[in-house]
Amino acid sequence: CTNLFGELELSGDYFVRLDKTLMTLFEMMTMSWARLARECMDQIWWAWLPFVTFIMITGFMVFNLIIAIVCDAVSALEHKEDLRPDVRGIF
């Protein structure tokens, strides 16, 4: 994105340096990307493509992370019985 949109005249320093670009991409991941995408699309008509692609990929990754956490918690609850020692046969 730094190479694609670094030369655009935007209202902020969104894509000037790598650290600013990474912060901008993190902010976009939290779904505050429409204003920035429209601002870029005013200068480049196809600017929506990288934004939508990034949002779809990161949204899929975050969704999979949440599903993995839920599955792990369910699995841990299901196997909780297997972890208890069987003390009935000792006495």
Side-chain angles (χ1 to χ4, degrees):
C1 280
T2 304
N3 290 334
L4 287 176
F5 305 121
E7 302 295 321
L8 297 180
E9 295 179 16
L10 302 173
S11 62
D13 296 335
Y14 299 113
F15 301 107
V16 176
R17 297 188 326 239
L18 182 61
D19 59 335
K20 300 245 184 213
T21 300
L22 292 175
M23 185 61 181
T24 302
L25 291 175
F26 180 75
E27 289 175 2
M28 285 174 47
M29 226 170 43
T30 61
M31 298 301 176
S32 61
W33 61 278
R35 179 183 46 81
L36 178 60
R38 286 192 179 100
E39 194 173 336
C40 290
M41 284 173 41
D42 287 341
Q43 298 179 35
I44 302 174
W45 68 270
W46 53 265
W48 62 272
L49 185 64
F51 289 109
V52 171
T53 304
F54 177 77
I55 293 299
M56 289 175 59
I57 291 171
T58 56
F60 182 73
M61 290 171 51
V62 169
F63 182 70
N64 279 334
L65 179 65
I66 292 170
I67 294 297
I69 291 170
V70 169
C71 288
D72 187 46
V74 168
S75 177
L77 288 175
E78 191 173 284
H79 296 306
K80 194 173 184 178
E81 293 285 329
D82 298 339
L83 297 176
R84 291 186 185 153
D86 189 16
V87 293
R88 289 178 284 175
I90 296 176
F91 299 107

